[in-house]
Amino acid sequence: MCNLPIKVVCRANAEYMSPSGKVPFIHVGNQVVSELGPIVQFVKAKGHSLSDGLDEVQKAEMKAYMELVNNMLLTAELYLQWCDEATVGEITHARYGSPYPWPLNHILAYQKQWEVRRKMKAIGWGKKTLDQVLEDVDQCCQALSQRLGTQPYFFNKQPTELDALVFGHLYTILTTQLTSDELSEKVKNYSNLLAFCRRIEQHYFEDRGKGSSSIRLS
Amino acid sequence: MAAPLELSCWGGGWGLPSVHSESLVVMAYAKFSGAPLKVNVIDNTWRGSRGDVPILTTEDNIVSQPAKILNFLRKQKYNADYELSARQGADTLAYIALLEEKLLPAVLHTFWVENDNYFTVTKPWFASRIPFPLSLILPGRMSKGALNRILLTRGEPPLYHLQEVEAQIYRDAKECLNLLSHRLGTSQFFFGDMPSTLDAYVFGFLAPLYKVRFPKVQLQEHLKQLSNLCRFCDDILNSYFRHSLGGISPAGQETVDANLQKLTQLVNKESNLIEKMDDNLRQSPQLPPRKLPTLKLTPAEEESNSLQRLSP
């Protein structure tokens, strides 16, 4: 959205290369910056920013909505990937451990699962059932949908970090194959969110002729 | 809705009906929506340690966790958000998430992890309300739970260090307070003139930070500089909790009584001293002896008797 040239590289040890242990991170010259917040700050320091046109109240709203997405959607995604037995067994373990030889793939997958479960318990999601998690996702999507309304982007004509964040999460939810489609169904209930994702995909990803996003939104 | 609604929660202090953020949120919401809540200060502590406080009990249900309790109250037609538009409802959710992600870690740190604060204020307060022997174990568990939560949500795996995250969480919290202040502006509540769920949540998180006296106060100082947020807390305390502090709520009553007791004791001591001094003076030879009733003694014996009685 900022028109910056990037090259996407997939590495198995990405989590370990990152300074904070979290992906994604960018490598610019001799600097490495990880996670969305610091990357946005870094890009802003270099002179590119999407949210300069917003006033203080709007910036507050944007930050609040970004936290909502992080709080609800991200946690729900983690829950579904690592705490739901069916998904864990069939998909997550295999996918997470695939770059490594046996027995490392099992060990690392279990370690990651244990870590995520600890985190869930600490924030009180440990006792939630899948239905409750899906309900939370639904509430979150409803809030996003109401905020978006009929506008093209969350803050009218120009995309901001919030749009990028929401697109990232919703696109992943919609295009990742899981054992059940309940999560993506929840998102599909909101037509303006679907249209939003499609619009951003078409505008920013297909125009460049990249073949990487080969999964189309159905 | 004649069913009595009983709320079990931690008690109050420093002018607040409750010192615990989540309990305050529920109490504030109940006041805003007009729900008749009977507040029960608990020392039933296993529940407290598992984070189940506050708990709402009705005839058929037991509901825990503020979000669920608020939902329950709404279903019982005690709805403070009736006048909000859909978009304001969405904003509410977003701001609550902001509070939980950015402000809560720092509040937890100030109360439970910062050593000075924990050992001088938080631990004695909670320990005094928990019966022995749980008072030795429970505050420690709550402190570890808070530390855990901060590290797991903010720290960096696989080695979690508190020092790295401390600076970050306080920075986030100050930013969050600034954002809230911008959003509130000069209006009385966040969405116009009537208080709503968001006001209850903000009040619940800010009021303990604002009122409780701590030795290490960097976040409190920052909050005090944001005068509209302080005014917001004071307004809610004065309009919705003032009468209950003097009357119904037992938590507020407790602090008032305790203060009164101390004062009365002091006054009594003083007046005892004064009485003694007074008697001494009167019994001294320079002054004419007091006429004591029902005496068959001579004046000289009278004097010596009363002098002996008065000596400690």
Side-chain angles (χ1 to χ4, degrees), chain B residues 170-212:
Chain B
Y170 276 103
R171 230 177 306 149
D172 283 344
K174 287 177 185 163
E175 201 194 316
C176 177
L177 289 175
N178 290 341
L179 291 176
L180 284 175
S181 183
H182 282 304
R183 177 64 183 78
L184 181 61
T186 49
S187 46
Q188 196 182 10
F189 297 111
F190 277 93
F191 294 120
D193 295 331
M194 294 302 296
S196 61
T197 311
L198 181 57
D199 301 286
Y201 267 92
V202 173
F203 175 70
F205 280 95
L206 289 185
L209 196 58
Y210 177 40
K211 291 281 184 189
V212 178

Side-chain angles (χ1 to χ4, degrees), chain B residues 60-134:
Chain B
D60 342 302
N61 293 333
I62 299 185
V63 190
S64 66
Q65 290 189 347
K68 290 194 200 152
I69 297 182
L70 260 52
N71 268 339
F72 181 80
L73 285 175
R74 277 191 209 111
K75 287 200 187 113
Q76 302 283 328
K77 310 271 185 272
Y78 297 113
N79 190 357
D81 295 338
Y82 197 66
E83 313 238 323
L84 295 184
S85 69
R87 179 155 157 181
Q88 287 173 324
D91 280 352
T92 304
L93 267 183
Y95 277 102
I96 292 176
L98 183 70
L99 281 176
E100 281 182 3
E101 286 279 323
K102 297 275 181 180
L103 189 59
L104 184 60
V107 170
L108 281 178
H109 187 271
T110 309
F111 270 79
W112 293 100
V113 180
E114 176 71 60
N115 279 326
D116 281 347
N117 295 345
Y118 174 60
F119 285 109
T120 55
V121 179
T122 321
K123 188 165 171 188
W125 193 91
F126 276 92
S128 66
R129 277 158 179 73
I130 304 175
F132 186 86
L134 283 174

Side-chain angles (χ1 to χ4, degrees), chain B residues 221-233:
Chain B
E221 292 299 319
H222 189 90
L223 175 57
K224 288 194 177 145
Q225 287 170 11
L226 297 167
S227 54
N228 61 349
L229 290 179
C230 297
R231 194 246 321 145
F232 172 77
C233 289

Side-chain angles (χ1 to χ4, degrees), chain A residues 1-7 43-44 46 48 208 210:
Chain A
M1 286 177 183
C2 291
N3 277 327
L4 296 170
I6 55 163
K7 198 172 95 174
V43 169
K44 194 164 168 179
K46 300 285 180 188
H48 299 271
R208 317 289 170 90
K210 277 200 175 139

